[in-house]
Amino acid sequence: MTITTSSITAGRPWQNWGRSVSAHPAWIATASSIDDVVAAVDFARDHGLTLKPIGAGHSFTSIAATDGVQLDVAGLGGILSVDGNLVRVGAGTYLHQLPALLAPLGLALENMGDIDSQTVAGATSTGTHGTGTAFGGLATQVVAITLVTADGSVLTISRDQNPELLPAARLALGALGVIVDVTLRCVPDFMMHAVEKAEPLEEVLDDWAHRASSVDHFEFYWFAHTTSALTKSNTRLPASTPRKVQGRLAAWVDDELLPNRLYAALCELGVRMPSTTPPLNRLSERLVATREITDSWHPVFTSTRRVRFREMEYAIPRENVPDALREIRATIERNGWRITFPVEVRATAADDNWLSTAHGRDTGYIAVHRYFREDPTEYFAAVESIMMSFGGRPHWGKMHHRDAASLRPAYPRFDDFLAIRDRLDPGRLFANDYLRKVLGE
């Protein structure tokens, strides 16, 4: 099988969304079928090149970068089959497309993060998660996967076929093959009651264990140089619950004007005049109004993010979140840094996926960000040191400096995953600099 000239072209420069990674693949292939994926894999292998699939490019690490063949899987989209609440979708389906696809079926995703720009394959492969102490990350909702492996074989992994591979393949960093479809375990459609408000940070930290578990989905943001936590408490309700949402103007102010247009201007001002950051953050703190709505699951889970940033996120034992955040705050103050973007704090349940950041333990997540025109190096390095002191595991799709030697002790099944990698990709067709760093050669 060969790739036709219509599906492979000369490569061109590529950047990820956060502008933290750039690459120049030699070739760009596109796929709209399994045969296209097999052909791309065969082409790369026959020409001694590596291959990496690309989705939305929303990872902040170089996990999708390659100088070989970049495979665009956007054409592998949509629902392929439905069996009760099990929905098989193409790997290139974007998360923001799923609500409309699932609505006619009366179904929903069990949980999701606050950004929906990623493809299903990219989100599951990097460990994308939301919040909620009774809920796992997106990969925990995967019950079956179809992969094209390095020799061009099509491999089905499910509870009935090759089930021993499922804990590795659900969250595999793109190291085992090209995902062409995944089967998601969905839930009946539901509404959510959302309450967003500013509260004293110290009170939230002191009551963290209760707050994290007292509602279905709890998270908060903290702007450096302020004393408030901007909390979001979401409670699941039956699908028949009436909607109660803001008027169009109020919603535009809260969802577009303040967090995107005005915030972009404040970030630019912070770059030019760092001394303005603390008072501007305190202004942002005061501008956040209490909001209470009831709406469908998707608009409550997600937020529109137009201001580009770079991010590092660490997973730590849930009980350590208050101490870790206090250390981050003290480090910022001690160094006199001016940090515009907020720190985000979430929590999830433990799971059994081998490379999941929540593997085997109830988990709290702390994410730090910097505006994409600011240098994150010093700030992120200091936060990473704090997170490692609490046994932290870095989000695979967000910036960090860990390598295989450092990561192996953090994951009890690390070597088991490597054994599966050796089995499915012995020649490292799907390797790149990032995987060589975090998994080894």
Side-chain angles (χ1 to χ4, degrees):
M1 185 179 293
T2 59
I3 282 188
T4 65
T5 56
S6 62
S7 59
I8 185 167
T9 59
R12 57 183 180 271
W14 170 86
Q15 283 187 307
N16 66 341
W17 181 88
R19 301 298 187 260
S20 57
V21 177
S22 60
H24 196 149
W27 301 97
I28 295 176
T30 58
S32 57
S33 68
I34 291 181
D35 285 345
D36 289 342
V37 175
V38 173
V41 168
D42 289 346
F43 176 89
R45 187 184 61 251
D46 293 346
H47 288 79
L49 300 170
T50 57
L51 178 144
K52 296 304 295 181
I54 187 71
H58 217 283
S59 290
F60 298 91
T61 65
S62 56
I63 192 168
T66 183
D67 58 4
V69 179
Q70 184 183 77
L71 176 61
D72 185 345
V73 299
L76 300 172
I79 290 179
L80 305 177
S81 63
V82 180
D83 181 9
N85 70 329
L86 303 181
V87 181
R88 186 165 65 98
V89 299
T93 308
Y94 289 93
L95 295 182
H96 63 76
Q97 296 174 318
L98 285 174
L101 294 172
L102 296 176
L105 306 174
L107 296 174
L109 289 183
E110 182 179 68
N111 196 14
M112 68 183 303
D114 57 359
I115 294 177
D116 61 3
S117 303
Q118 312 96 315
T119 60
V120 170
T124 55
S125 295
T126 56
T128 294
H129 62 92
T131 192
T133 57
F135 303 92
L138 189 62
T140 66
Q141 301 168 49
V142 174
V143 299
I145 298 170
T146 304
L147 277 179
V148 174
T149 59
D151 63 1
S153 300
V154 179
L155 179 66
T156 299
I157 301 171
S158 68
R159 289 169 180 155
D160 299 319
Q161 301 180 69
N162 305 297
E164 75 282 1
L165 301 181
L166 199 53
R170 286 192 188 108
L171 201 169
L173 317 185
L176 304 183
V178 179
I179 298 174
V180 293
D181 63 60
V182 301
T183 301
L184 299 169
R185 184 195 69 252
C186 297
V187 298
D189 195 12
F190 62 96
M191 300 284 281
M192 285 210 293
H193 177 234
V195 178
E196 302 175 8
K197 60 183 178 180
E199 302 181 59
L201 175 63
E202 281 301 320
E203 291 184 10
V204 174
L205 293 179
D206 286 343
D207 200 28
W208 161 248
H210 171 71
R211 294 299 300 273
S213 59
S214 62
V215 294
D216 293 314
H217 308 276
F218 177 77
E219 64 184 302
F220 73 87
Y221 295 82
W222 169 68
F223 281 90
H225 323 297
T226 74
T227 60
S228 294
L230 310 180
T231 64
K232 300 177 69 173
S233 302
N234 300 330
T235 302
R236 301 160 81 96
L237 299 170
S240 58
T241 305
R243 293 176 74 239
K244 182 180 180 182
V245 298
Q246 293 177 291
R248 184 175 299 176
L249 177 59
W252 179 79
V253 170
D254 285 346
D255 295 331
E256 178 62 29
L257 177 62
L258 295 180
N260 289 301
R261 301 190 186 191
L262 178 59
Y263 196 59
L266 297 182
C267 287
E268 284 291 339
L269 183 59
V271 170
R272 291 169 172 78
M273 301 177 61
S275 63
T276 64
T277 295
L280 290 177
N281 280 8
R282 289 189 285 270
L283 174 62
S284 298
E285 176 185 33
R286 291 193 296 272
L287 288 175
V288 175
T290 297
R291 176 162 69 161
E292 185 172 356
I293 63 171
T294 299
D295 204 350
S296 183
W297 56 278
H298 177 251
V300 175
F301 276 139
T302 62
S303 303
T304 302
R305 302 285 183 84
R306 304 191 198 282
V307 182
R308 293 186 195 273
F309 57 89
R310 295 169 180 175
E311 181 175 1
M312 181 176 72
E313 182 175 44
Y314 258 81
I316 60 176
R318 192 185 301 159
E319 65 272 15
N320 294 143
V321 163
D323 289 341
L325 186 59
R326 288 182 174 115
E327 285 198 32
I328 292 172
R329 180 179 59 187
T331 300
I332 292 171
E333 293 173 353
R334 184 170 59 250
N335 287 279
W337 292 331
R338 300 293 181 252
I339 306 298
T340 51
F341 259 84
V343 178
E344 182 181 17
V345 180
R346 294 178 285 176
T348 67
D351 68 57
D352 60 1
N353 292 325
W354 292 351
L355 293 187
S356 169
T357 50
H359 177 82
R361 68 187 189 194
D362 291 335
T363 296
Y365 290 92
I366 297 180
V368 294
H369 316 71
R370 294 227 73 172
Y371 184 48
F372 82 111
R373 297 190 192 280
E374 298 174 316
D375 182 0
T377 305
E378 191 176 19
Y379 177 41
F380 283 11
V383 172
E384 183 164 55
S385 178
I386 293 169
M387 295 296 100
M388 289 178 65
S389 74
F390 290 101
R393 299 166 177 165
H395 190 300
W396 298 107
K398 300 178 184 179
M399 297 171 71
H400 65 91
H401 303 92
R402 305 284 288 277
D403 59 16
S406 168
L407 291 164
R408 176 175 278 106
Y411 289 91
R413 305 300 298 269
F414 192 84
D415 287 327
D416 293 324
F417 181 88
L418 296 187
I420 298 298
R421 185 191 187 203
D422 287 341
R423 170 179 161 188
L424 298 183
D425 186 18
R428 302 298 187 255
L429 179 73
F430 304 113
N432 63 3
D433 288 343
Y434 180 78
L435 291 188
R436 281 186 283 272
K437 180 179 180 180
V438 300
L439 297 179
E441 295 292 339

